[in-house]
Amino acid sequence: MTSLHNRHIKPLILAGLDGKNWHLQDYVARGGYESLKRILSEKIPPEQVIAELKASSLRGRGGAGFPTGLKWSFMPRQFPGQKYLVCNTDEGEPGTFKDRDIIRYNPHALIEGMAIGAYAMGISVGYNYIHGEIFAEYDRFEEAIEEARAAGMLGNNIAGSEFNFQLHAFHGYGAYICGEETALLESLEGKKGQPRFKPPFPASFGLYGKPTTINNTETFAAVPFILAMGGENYAALGKPNNGGTKIFSISGDVERPGNYEIPLGTPFATLLELAGGMRGGKKIKAVIPGGSSAPVIVGDVMMNTDLDYDSIAKAGSMLGSGAVIVMDETRCMVKSLERLSYFYFEESCGQCTPCREGTGWLYRMVHRIEHGQGRPEDLDMLNAIADNIQGKTICALGDAAAMPVRAFVKNFREEFEYHIEHKHCLVPTYM
Ligand code: SF4
């Protein structure tokens, strides 16, 4: 476990934001658009920008954790036709709420990051796909785009250079599945938002069948800071292979839920302390460390785990999007899993049988256990259904539905067995 005693917890993307200073002039006063202007005025070769990203060890902040510099290097530079850059602000998983804060409080960091990405990959058109259930943030982002255009930071001849980049906001419809990158592209094209078979991957066959790079909001927003401080310096903020800072959305049974940007590799215990500790001084029971699809971890284990991709994987879960859901001793694990299972059942797009049928089956079984009608063989059956979903579907939603089931049953089996045997909850002060 890394000690933070001598490390400085200093945010980058969320630094100095007060809810009002989101305008372009505020961003510029904080040093904003300097990275983009420097790249363009010094005509820094695109390959050098990508090399800086690789040196930063920035990994995709949307959940998959794929190295961003490597992803950008996949874009065919010499492609003769239109290429696209897409930002995924379709944040809809339970526990996630960081991207909407970025476009609400620091939208120009995202715009600058996308413009730098467009320059590095030779792209002239970009879209930001914003979740359909957030409205004020969509309007805010539209306003920020207008400000950037008026200031010559978007459009033609950006900052007096020969670089052109048109950026548009697109308001989605609120389906969770549209956060899956190929479903997002389908939706952006005006079709039903259902995931595509992969391959081909968006880098070769993306929006309108053209090469497309898709990154998460936080990933793009980190780019100007990386270019300003240098890739190696950014990497040094975190741990090897886990460079830089990350925004963690902590929710659940803590005193001060919210977004906290801290270096990757920070102990979970430090984040919990930043969030004011456990609400009412209760004992920690369980933590879902990376959005609702990440396997649940027993509280005591989590208290000794660092918040980075590799440490969380070692503890048996995923860092995902950094949405940390904390549950105290009064939480019923059967009820919690019932709620999660219902979410995936509700959000399945229905294209593939294991997911369409399996998510409903999982939900109905957990519902049955929760309501005192479970049978002893149900727990093995839950695992068997999860086995028959995971890895057998077009997109990762199937896995996302199966993994929590397995982890809840494995880590809290005695609670499920108690429910089945006694027809009610084991937790004394059930809420
Ligand atoms: Fe749709 Fe589920 Fe198949 Fe994904 S796994 S394509 S959400 S049915």
Side-chain angles (χ1 to χ4, degrees), residues 74-92:
F74 292 156
M75 176 56 80
R77 279 205 63 76
Q78 305 310 328
F79 185 77
Q82 184 67 56
K83 300 184 282 187
Y84 294 101
L85 188 66
V86 174
C87 176
N88 185 346
T89 309
D90 191 46
E91 184 177 54

Side-chain angles (χ1 to χ4, degrees), residues 177 180 194-196 344 347-356 359 389 392-399:
I177 194 58
E180 197 280 340
Q194 288 190 316
R196 299 173 181 168
Y344 291 106
E347 296 292 341
S348 168
C349 84
Q351 258 193 117
C352 16
T353 307
C355 175
R356 183 187 62 242
T359 51
I389 299 174
K392 297 178 176 69
T393 56
I394 295 171
C395 87
L397 189 142
D399 294 1

